[in-house]
Amino acid sequence: MTDHANYFLLWVVLIIVSAKVGERAARGLGLPQVLGELSMGMLLGNVYFLSGWGFFNFLREETLLKVLGELGALTLLLIVGLHTDLRALQKAGPSVLRVALGGLVAPAVLGYMACLFLIPDASIYTCFFIVAALCVNSVGIITRVFHEMGRLDALEARIAIASTLIDAILVFLIIGAVSGVIRTGHFTTTGVVLTVGISVLFLALITATNLRYGEGLGDFVTEKFSESSKVFIVTVMFFSLAYLAKSIGLATILGAFGAGLLLQKVRLKDSEGKERSMEELVRPAYWVFVPIFFVLVGSEVRLESFLDRTAVLIGTGITIAAILGKLFCGLCVVERGVNRLQVGISMVPRAEMALVVASMGRALGVLTDSIYSAVIIMVMVTTLVAPPFLKRVICIPEKRHEEI
C-alpha cells in the first residue's frame, strides 16, 4: 500500500472522529448535530490560518475526499426520498401549495434585493445560488422539533414538512438546469427550457411510478429476492439514477432523491427474520458519509473571510432575508385554527439543505470565499435561532389550554 493510501485512511478516520466529537458537543449544548459537524470542519479547515500548521490542508485539497463528500450528499438526499410520503403530501391540506409558493417567492425576492444592494457586481449565477440557499429549509430540523414536542401529527407540522419537501424538489430541479448552463458556459433559452423539461419529466416519471406501483414494486423485491440480492438492487438503482440524472444534465442529488422514492417500500429481513425498512439499511451509510460531507463543507469556510467587513455584511443581509422570507409563509395558511407563527418559524432553519446548495455553488466556482462564508453564517444563525423559538411558540397554546 502506498504512503498516499495510508494517509488517505488516516484522513478518513480523523474526519469521522472529528464529526463525532462535534456531534456530541452540539448535542450536549442542545444544538442540532449538523452544527457540531460543520463547526469541526471549520475549525480543522482553518488550522493553518490559526497556527500556520498545514497538516489539515488535505480537507480542501484531496480529490478522493471530495468524492466521499459527494457520496454523503447523495446519501442525505436518498434518506429524504425515503422519508417523502407523496400520498401524505396530497392530503396535507389546501395550504401546502400556498405555503410552498410563499417559501420560494418571498425569500427569492428578498434575497435577490439583498444581492443587488450588497454585491451589485455579482454574476446572475452567484445571486441564483444565494437565493436557492434561502429558498430551501431543513426537513430534518422541523421533524425533530415537532417530534420532541409531541406535535408531529399536528396540522402545522404536516403543512410545514410537506411545503419544505415541495420547495426542495422545485429548487433542486432548477439547480439541475442552471448547473448544466454553468458547466457548458452557454446560455440559450431553448437549452434551459429543454433541461427544465427533462428535469420535470424525470421526476414526474419517478413520482408516477411511486404513486402507482410503489407498493407493488416494494412487495415484489421484498418477496422475490434474497437479502443479498436486495442490497445489490438497491445499490445499483441508487448509483444508476444518480448517474442518469447527471448524464441528462441534472444534479446527481435528484437521482438519489428519486431512488429514495422508488425504494421506500422495499423491506429486508434481519438475522432473526424480522422485516426492516429501507431506512434501516441505509442508516449505517448515513452515519458515516453524511458527517464526512458536513465536515468537508465546513472546512471550505475560510475564517479570514469573517474579517472581511463585506462578507459579514452580506451574511447579515441574507440572514435577515432568510428569516423574513420564511416567516411570510405563515401568512399563506388558509385553514382556520392553524398557528401561522408555528408554520413560519418552522421553515426558518436551513441546515443540511442549504449546505447542499452552497456546496454545489462552491464546486461550480460561482461562490467566492467571502460569499460562501456569508451563506454559512446564514445557515448557522437560522439553524440556531429557529428551534428554541419554535418550541416556545408550541408551548404557549399548551400552557393556555392548561390554564383554561
Side-chain angles (χ1 to χ4, degrees):
M1 185 176 291
T2 64
D3 289 341
H4 184 270
N6 281 331
Y7 275 118
F8 178 77
L9 296 176
L10 174 62
W11 296 335
V12 173
V13 170
L14 290 174
I15 292 173
I16 294 174
V17 171
S18 64
K20 180 57 68 174
V21 170
E23 175 190 312
R24 290 291 181 89
R27 189 184 303 170
L29 294 172
L31 303 175
Q33 296 177 11
V34 62
L35 288 183
E37 296 160 355
L38 186 67
S39 299
M40 287 301 297
M42 292 173 61
L43 176 63
L44 296 181
N46 287 277
V47 167
Y48 181 79
F49 171 71
L50 297 172
S51 66
W53 186 34
F55 177 78
F56 288 99
N57 288 350
F58 67 83
L59 290 168
R60 296 175 181 170
E61 298 170 356
E62 180 54 47
T63 304
L64 287 177
L65 289 178
K66 297 185 186 302
V67 174
L68 290 182
E70 176 76 7
L71 187 56
L74 293 176
T75 305
L76 177 62
L77 267 294
L78 174 65
I79 289 290
V80 173
L82 292 173
H83 274 284
T84 302
D85 187 342
L86 296 177
R87 297 187 187 280
L89 291 184
Q90 294 177 322
K91 300 176 182 178
S95 292
V96 170
L97 289 179
R98 291 169 58 95
V99 173
L101 184 61
L104 292 175
V105 174
V109 171
L110 293 175
Y112 187 64
M113 290 174 61
C115 289
L116 292 179
F117 181 73
L118 298 172
I119 40 177
D121 57 340
S123 71
I124 187 65
Y125 300 126
T126 299
C127 293
F128 169 79
F129 272 93
I130 292 175
V131 166
L134 299 184
C135 289
V136 293
N137 45 295
S138 171
V139 66
I141 301 296
I142 294 175
T143 304
R144 180 177 177 181
V145 173
F146 277 113
H147 177 71
E148 288 177 356
M149 302 302 293
R151 298 279 294 170
L152 195 55
D153 292 326
L155 185 55
E156 291 88 351
R158 295 203 304 270
I159 291 173
I161 292 171
S163 301
T164 293
L165 291 171
I166 292 172
D167 283 349
I169 292 170
L170 294 176
V171 168
F172 285 124
L173 278 173
I174 300 172
I175 283 178
V178 173
S179 298
V181 173
I182 295 173
R183 290 192 189 95
T184 60
H186 300 292
F187 176 86
T188 61
T189 303
T190 304
V192 172
V193 171
L194 181 61
T195 304
V196 172
I198 292 173
S199 303
V200 173
L201 179 61
F202 176 78
L203 206 55
L205 288 173
I206 291 175
T207 299
T209 303
N210 173 277
L211 291 173
R212 188 173 180 83
Y213 304 108
E215 291 282 354
L217 177 63
D219 291 340
F220 177 78
V221 175
T222 300
E223 296 170 3
K224 299 297 183 180
F225 294 92
S226 65
E227 306 314 302
S228 60
S229 296
K230 292 175 192 176
V231 174
F232 170 78
I233 291 170
V234 167
T235 304
V236 169
M237 186 175 291
F238 170 60
F239 285 108
S240 295
L241 284 177
Y243 174 77
L244 177 60
K246 184 77 169 183
S247 299
I248 59 178
L250 309 180
T252 54
I253 54 176
L254 271 182
F257 176 77
L261 291 178
L262 292 178
L263 297 169
Q264 58 187 209
K265 300 300 182 181
V266 176
R267 302 176 301 281
L268 297 99
K269 293 181 179 179
D270 60 19
S271 58
E272 298 178 354
K274 295 181 180 179
E275 285 195 343
R276 303 293 183 180
S277 66
M278 266 297 304
E279 183 186 353
E280 292 179 274
L281 170 66
V282 177
R283 195 177 297 162
Y286 179 91
W287 288 335
V288 174
F289 292 111
V290 174
I292 290 176
F293 168 68
F294 287 132
V295 170
L296 293 176
V297 166
S299 71
E300 292 289 338
V301 177
R302 298 183 182 272
L303 290 183
E304 57 263 37
S305 298
F306 292 108
L307 302 178
D308 182 356
R309 179 182 174 186
T310 302
V312 176
L313 189 61
I314 295 171
T316 303
I318 64 175
T319 299
I320 294 172
I323 294 173
L324 294 179
K326 289 297 183 179
L327 286 177
F328 173 79
C329 296
L331 301 177
C332 300
V333 177
V334 294
E335 287 95 340
R336 292 183 178 180
V338 175
N339 190 319
R340 291 174 171 82
L341 187 57
Q342 277 189 34
V343 174
I345 294 177
S346 65
M347 298 187 71
V348 168
R350 297 320 198 266
E352 72 278 0
M353 290 302 187
L355 292 176
V356 172
V357 173
S359 67
M360 294 175 69
R362 178 72 170 173
L364 290 168
V366 298
L367 297 184
T368 63
D369 291 342
S370 59
I371 293 176
Y372 181 79
S373 298
V375 174
I376 297 300
I377 291 174
M378 179 273 296
V379 170
M380 297 188 74
V381 172
T382 56
T383 306
L384 278 170
V385 168
F389 275 97
L390 179 57
K391 289 181 180 180
R392 183 178 295 273
V393 171
I394 291 174
C395 286
I396 290 174
E398 294 178 353
K399 289 181 178 179
R400 288 178 179 173
H401 180 73
E402 290 174 0
E403 290 173 359
I404 294 173

